[in-house]
Amino acid sequence: MSGGLLVAGTTSDAGKSVVTAGICRWLVRQGVKVAPFKAQNMSLNSFVTKEGAEIGRAQAMQAQACRVEPTALMNPVLLKPGGERSSQVVLLGKPVGEMSARGYHGGRQQRLLGTVLECLTELRGTYDAVICEGAGSPAEINLRRTDIVNMGIARNAGLPVLVVGDIDRGGVFASFFGTVALLSPEDQALVAGFLVNKFRGDVSLLEPGLDMLRGLTGRRTYGVLPFRHGLGIDEEDGLRVSLRGTVRESNTAPPVGEDVLRVAVCAVPLMSNFTDVDALAAEPGVVVRFVDRAEELADADLVVVPGTRGTVRALEWLRERGLAEALVRRAAEGRPVLGICGGFQVLGERIEDEVESRLGRVDGLGVLPVRVRFAVEKTLTRPVGEALGERVEGYEIHHGVAEILGGEPFLDGCRVGQTWGTHWHGSLESDGFRRAFLREVAAASGRRFVPAPDTSFAELREEQLDRLGDLIEEHADTDALWRLIESGAPTGLPFVQPGAPG
């Protein structure tokens, strides 16, 4: 059996995804054949693998950290929220239906454990090491019985567990101690120790606390990672332009042209794959912000209506807030608007939805000659094409089938004046196309903006992943970490009272 590790967290957003990616990049630079794994992910940011499977974008980015092609094995269960109480369940890359949280945790989740373990076993038979990411906290005592992503997978696969805590939030010692103390003796036996994330200041001032924590729990701390701006990888549920900080830190040159371009992204409900705009933020002189008020569109040179898991709901939200009227007015004035996936559907004439909202026929904004019908089967593809004289790659994740009734062709969608629409996610990551598109936007906006001739989005991502690997290599006890991955949790770890309730 190959080596393995489960990276758990004291809370959601403690840094599990980032730490997992960093460990993966550190290992692959040591010549280790490594793969990421997350048994169950809840995210509206997803990706399509080459075999046409939908997985979380965080796992796709972690696969890139491993320098391997992402597959459905790396994220066998993906939950895509459709509201407060229900999610679409994606199993091995394909949607299998909608389910309430009560229904999922009431039995369906536990029945998926066999599938999850089979995927992990296959990965461990192929790779030297598999670095698994947990979800939320392993000490969710109300969900432990049906857990398949934290201690449930650790127990069944015999994985040592490293608990990550975000010290920037405060209370990290209580979080570390409480996480262990709420686990059963059998679960505690696998919790090897801790990793402090986002520390600011002099580490020597923290060390007495780490010594006390070891005295209280019998578990060591494997590293203290310093706070660094712009280290987020593709998000699960956050709302941050993940590469923006990195670009601002690494690129000290001013914009190439005399002006900047201002991009406003409509923060629609159930927004999905908002990482599409990361590539815009990577360009020197492009300022990206998320907006939810009509007046915030006034000074924007480009407005992006992004993807959403609830197209009809997003349309209602745009109308309620006056954004719909502002978008229609922009289109009539020839001011640039880009709709991506659900945002493209919103811009069309009509939506027939008996699948997602089940509201039947709904009028769109009518700025693009497009009619959309929602099909039960989801489109999951990795298209390649050409637009504005440049090669473009993307990926599609949608139930909507578009009937194009006019306009100029634009990827799989169309363009009317300066209003553009496509189902393709990720198209702006194609450097030549992105530059050509931004030149069109600048010309239409009357801005003296010039795209940088040498910005490579792929290279920026690689630099970011290397920075994550550097953090692990420079600030974690890598020898101890490797022993943990190779040999499992140390024997004889003490039990911390009171333990999980019976």
Side-chain angles (χ1 to χ4, degrees):
M1 184 68 72
S2 69
L5 175 70
L6 176 70
V7 178
T10 56
T11 63
S12 294
D13 202 31
K16 296 183 294 291
S17 296
V18 168
V19 169
T20 300
I23 293 173
C24 287
R25 178 48 62 101
W26 160 64
L27 286 172
V28 81
R29 294 195 307 204
Q30 308 309 308
V32 178
K33 188 179 179 184
V34 60
F37 180 78
K38 185 161 186 172
Q40 172 197 295
N41 198 349
M42 177 173 280
S43 178
L44 288 171
N45 282 333
S46 56
F47 182 75
V48 179
T49 67
K50 282 190 173 179
E51 74 264 34
E54 184 179 7
I55 66 172
R57 276 199 67 98
Q59 280 60 66
M61 183 65 85
Q62 289 163 356
Q64 186 176 347
C66 297
R67 296 179 179 146
V68 298
E69 190 66 35
T71 72
L73 294 174
M74 297 172 183
N75 179 206
V77 181
L78 173 63
L79 305 179
K80 303 194 72 175
E84 293 295 327
R85 297 186 178 182
S86 67
S87 294
Q88 183 181 67
V89 180
V90 179
L91 179 61
L92 292 174
K94 304 296 180 184
V96 294
E98 296 279 335
M99 187 166 288
S100 69
R102 180 179 293 274
Y104 184 69
H105 290 288
R108 177 64 182 270
Q109 182 181 32
Q110 185 65 22
R111 291 197 295 273
L112 295 174
L113 179 60
T115 300
V116 163
L117 289 171
E118 288 172 6
C119 292
L120 179 56
T121 298
E122 186 170 343
L123 287 174
R124 297 183 80 180
T126 305
Y127 293 90
D128 300 328
V130 178
I131 308 303
C132 307
E133 180 187 343
S137 163
E140 306 289 358
I141 55 178
N142 56 314
L143 303 177
R144 176 62 184 91
R145 182 177 60 84
T146 57
D147 171 49
I148 65 170
V149 65
N150 290 306
M151 301 312 300
I153 193 76
R155 282 271 292 278
N156 278 279
L159 295 171
V161 179
L162 183 69
V163 180
V164 177
D166 180 356
I167 197 170
D168 196 50
R169 294 182 173 192
V172 74
F173 291 115
S175 298
F176 281 145
F177 182 87
T179 296
V180 178
L182 280 176
L183 300 178
S184 68
E186 295 82 4
D187 286 349
Q188 286 193 26
L190 293 172
V191 178
F194 314 106
L195 187 75
V196 177
N197 191 29
K198 297 185 182 179
F199 178 73
R200 304 172 190 253
D202 185 348
V203 176
S204 66
L205 299 177
L206 185 67
E207 288 171 351
L210 300 179
D211 292 339
M212 295 169 70
L213 181 67
R214 185 165 189 169
L216 288 166
T217 66
R219 289 157 175 85
R220 60 166 297 168
T221 297
Y222 284 77
V224 178
L225 307 185
F227 186 96
R228 292 286 187 270
H229 290 286
L231 286 179
I233 63 173
D234 284 6
E235 306 279 345
E236 292 187 357
D237 301 304
L239 209 176
R240 181 176 72 224
V241 182
S242 61
L243 285 180
R244 192 168 175 184
T246 301
V247 173
R248 283 185 166 183
E249 289 174 3
S250 63
N251 193 327
T252 56
V256 175
E258 297 179 41
D259 287 343
V260 299
L261 278 186
R262 296 173 177 83
V263 179
V265 184
C266 297
V268 296
L270 299 174
M271 182 164 43
S272 62
N273 289 73
F274 54 82
T275 47
D276 283 331
V277 300
D278 284 354
L280 295 177
E283 285 286 346
V286 176
V287 179
V288 177
R289 68 182 189 275
F290 291 87
V291 304
D292 59 5
R293 296 181 300 180
E295 56 268 29
E296 293 178 291
L297 304 188
D299 67 343
D301 302 304
L302 168 67
V303 174
V304 177
V305 189
T308 171
R309 176 78 166 88
T311 300
V312 172
R313 179 176 169 186
L315 188 55
E316 293 171 350
W317 180 86
L318 290 168
R319 287 181 167 133
E320 289 168 359
R321 291 176 170 264
L323 286 159
E325 183 181 351
L327 287 168
V328 171
R329 187 166 57 249
R330 280 187 67 95
E333 294 170 352
R335 302 178 66 197
V337 176
L338 171 64
I340 302 174
C341 200
F344 167 41
Q345 297 165 5
V346 160
L347 297 176
E349 298 174 356
R350 190 174 73 201
I351 298 168
E352 293 185 24
D353 181 11
E354 299 291 349
V355 175
E356 199 173 74
S357 69
R358 300 180 182 176
L359 291 177
R361 181 174 294 189
V362 177
D363 289 334
L365 299 187
V367 297
L368 287 177
V370 176
R371 294 179 182 175
V372 176
R373 175 184 55 83
F374 274 64
V376 174
E377 185 175 351
K378 182 183 283 190
T379 298
L380 297 167
T381 63
R382 291 267 294 269
V384 177
E386 184 175 304
L388 302 179
E390 300 286 348
R391 186 175 186 273
V392 189
E393 296 182 22
Y395 57 99
E396 296 184 55
I397 306 171
H398 55 90
H399 285 280
V401 178
E403 180 186 5
I404 311 297
L405 303 173
E408 301 175 44
F410 175 63
L411 301 176
D412 71 319
C414 66
R415 167 190 183 181
V416 174
Q418 293 299 321
T419 302
W420 319 62
T422 177
H423 276 127
W424 290 23
H425 294 289
S427 62
L428 294 167
E429 296 177 20
S430 298
D431 296 329
F433 167 71
R434 181 180 66 255
R435 286 192 277 268
F437 177 70
L438 289 175
R439 282 193 290 268
E440 290 250 358
V441 170
S445 302
R447 297 287 186 187
R448 290 171 292 183
F449 169 85
V450 179
D454 55 356
T455 300
S456 168
F457 189 70
E459 288 180 8
L460 286 171
R461 277 188 160 165
E462 278 297 303
E463 289 174 9
Q464 184 186 41
L465 292 169
D466 277 332
R467 292 177 70 204
L468 297 179
D470 291 343
L471 271 185
I472 298 299
E473 190 167 342
E474 295 169 10
H475 300 282
D477 185 339
T478 52
D479 289 340
L481 195 56
W482 176 246
R483 288 194 299 271
L484 191 62
I485 293 168
E486 189 176 40
S487 304
T491 58
L493 292 169
F495 172 67
V496 179
Q497 295 285 353

